[in-house]
Amino acid sequence: MKKITEVTDLKGKRVIVRSSFNVPIVDGKVGNVFRIKKALATLRYLKEAGARVIVIGHIGRKLDDTLKPVFDELEKFMPVRWGGVITSDTFSQHANLLSDGDILLAENLRQDPREEANDADFAGLIAAYGDLYVNDAFDNAHREHASMCALATLLPAYAGLNLIEEVTELEKVTVPASPSLFLLGGAKFETKMPLVEKYLKLYDHVFIAGALMNDIFKAKGYEVGQSLVSDVSLMGLSFLEDAKLILPIDVQVDGPNGIRTCSPQEVLPEERIMDCGPATTAMLVPYITQAKTVLWNGPFGAYEKGFIESTESTAKQLAESEAFSVIGGGDSVAAIEKLGLNDKLGFVSTGGGAMLTFLEHGSTPALDLLA
């Protein structure tokens, strides 16, 4: 990839930076600053180089979701101005007043449907503000949106410091030191099956939890009750019998009689699997202790519903190991942030789906445009 650090003279240049600002908002305020902190390196680099910086990004899924809380948080780290909607006259006026080293943040691009449509005209309106384009939004690198793809074809395009770090660290775990362990949680086996099959060949052990384990239990003929399952059947697939595959040996279920722990074969029709049990997390300890490489994406349980035990227990165990680790996925990262373990782990990625896409394919359409 072409890197922004390769540009020799940035002073006075108008640089459009696509950052990762899709963060949780709680009561109108940023609930987790992890991605904001990751964006700072590129913004500070450009500011010190004297560039005139316009920062763009998205947040949430609703048309009225706003980046204003992100602006309020970003102001705590560095001087920044609020520009509002990028297609407005107000934004244009703010952009024209930028001096060397100034930073202007635009409103949530997804307020305009043309962003997700990868609309060339919308990208052209944004490109008119810049001399250079910097993609620093790894978390969105699997999306073919206007600010990720179309815009990169209209201006000289470069990778930002966070994006460079993401790709560098993820490339390491595609050629793991042995013993290696891949921990995969979350849901949607229909999208993750190729990844599972690939990493069963690359890694010594692959542990599958989260809603993904429900699909495997169902394929093995176990009762999964009201548990979340994918739209795809795994019946008869060869990887189910792979000796490298590790599955939970106990699960936490919720039902009419409350929460209980049982074996996967003892789930009742009226119950819903919510997490792995304590015997499973204990089983993982020697694998983690012995591993030289650990790759982890996605929580092991319904983390957002309070079933956090197995995810947080594993995070603590991994922080004590000597393995090189790479972790991604929203709730996995949330657990690490909550426990204050960032500095005790190898690399914590800003990406969830983007990380999985990169691990499966080795790149993404947005990253290819930076070559």
Side-chain angles (χ1 to χ4, degrees):
M1 294 187 301
K2 291 181 292 183
K3 304 171 184 177
I4 189 57
T5 51
E6 296 169 2
V7 180
T8 54
D9 184 15
L10 288 166
K11 186 173 177 60
K13 293 283 179 63
R14 300 176 303 160
V15 181
I16 299 174
V17 181
R18 179 46 160 101
S19 294
S20 296
F21 287 149
N22 190 22
V23 299
I25 303 298
V26 182
D27 297 327
K29 297 183 178 181
V30 172
N32 186 309
V33 298
F34 174 66
R35 285 179 173 170
I36 293 175
K37 287 184 176 179
K38 284 283 192 174
L40 296 177
T42 295
L43 299 183
R44 285 172 174 158
Y45 177 83
L46 292 170
K47 178 178 177 61
E48 290 170 7
R52 302 180 182 190
V53 183
I54 290 176
V55 190
I56 57 176
H58 81 275
I59 191 166
R61 297 182 181 276
K62 300 176 183 177
L63 284 176
D64 59 352
D65 285 333
T66 176
L67 279 171
K68 194 64 169 62
V70 172
F71 169 76
D72 294 338
E73 197 66 37
L74 191 59
E75 268 196 313
K76 298 176 183 178
F77 295 98
M78 64 193 308
V80 59
R81 299 178 187 177
W82 176 250
V85 177
I86 200 164
T87 55
S88 68
D89 291 339
T90 300
F91 187 90
S92 180
Q93 292 166 10
H94 284 298
N96 289 334
L97 293 173
L98 287 176
S99 299
D100 295 358
D102 284 349
I103 299 175
L104 182 67
L105 175 62
E107 178 59 283
N108 175 18
L109 293 180
R110 289 194 187 175
Q111 289 186 359
D112 192 314
R114 293 176 294 178
E115 161 65 2
E116 292 188 75
N118 197 24
D119 185 90
D121 290 338
F122 183 58
L125 293 173
I126 301 173
Y129 287 111
D131 299 311
L132 305 172
Y133 166 76
V134 176
N135 189 336
D136 209 30
F138 180 78
D139 73 310
N140 205 46
H142 58 317
R143 306 290 190 195
E144 293 187 50
H145 293 169
S147 64
M148 300 295 298
C149 292
L151 182 56
T153 68
L154 301 176
L155 294 172
Y158 301 88
L161 301 182
N162 177 61
L163 193 82
I164 294 165
E165 183 182 28
E166 291 273 3
V167 171
T168 300
E169 297 302 316
L170 286 175
E171 284 177 338
K172 293 178 183 177
V173 292
T174 60
V175 187
S178 188
S180 54
L181 174 65
F182 183 21
L183 306 169
L184 183 62
K188 299 181 181 177
F189 223 115
E190 59 267 32
T191 61
K192 294 177 181 174
M193 198 182 316
L195 186 77
V196 171
E197 293 174 333
K198 176 178 179 177
Y199 279 78
L200 278 169
K201 297 174 182 176
L202 288 176
Y203 274 59
D204 296 310
H205 301 288
V206 175
F207 171 74
I208 294 181
L212 300 177
M213 68 181 168
N214 303 340
D215 296 312
I216 295 179
F217 292 154
K218 183 178 179 180
K220 287 180 173 289
Y222 301 168
E223 175 64 64
V224 296
Q226 307 302 308
S227 306
L228 178 65
V229 292
S230 301
D231 294 329
V232 63
S233 173
L234 307 183
M235 291 287 289
L237 295 181
S238 59
F239 81 85
L240 295 176
E241 306 305 323
D242 196 306
K244 295 180 176 182
L245 182 66
I246 308 170
L247 296 174
I249 56 176
D250 65 339
V251 293
Q252 204 172 37
V253 297
D254 193 7
N257 297 320
I259 299 169
R260 71 185 184 100
T261 301
C262 64
S263 75
Q265 297 94 328
E266 296 172 333
V267 178
L268 301 176
E270 62 272 18
E271 292 179 321
R272 184 181 180 95
I273 300 172
M274 304 302 289
D275 200 358
C276 300
T280 297
T281 51
M283 173 193 70
L284 286 176
V285 171
Y287 289 102
I288 294 172
T289 303
Q290 296 164 19
K292 290 185 178 178
T293 306
V294 178
L295 172 60
W296 181 10
N297 184 285
F300 294 163
Y303 194 90
E304 74 286 355
K305 295 182 179 179
F307 291 86
I308 63 177
E309 289 87 352
S310 67
T311 300
E312 293 191 355
S313 176
T314 301
K316 292 175 184 175
Q317 185 62 40
L318 187 55
E320 295 176 2
S321 79
E322 296 182 1
F324 171 68
S325 55
V326 171
I327 303 97
D331 287 329
S332 307
V333 174
I336 289 162
E337 285 279 300
K338 174 186 172 184
L339 298 169
L341 299 177
N342 296 61
D343 296 336
K344 297 182 179 181
L345 297 163
F347 180 71
V348 182
S349 175
T350 59
M355 174 181 173
L356 294 173
T357 299
F358 184 88
L359 291 172
E360 181 182 348
H361 300 289
S363 188
T364 75
L367 297 182
D368 290 343
L369 291 169
L370 306 176

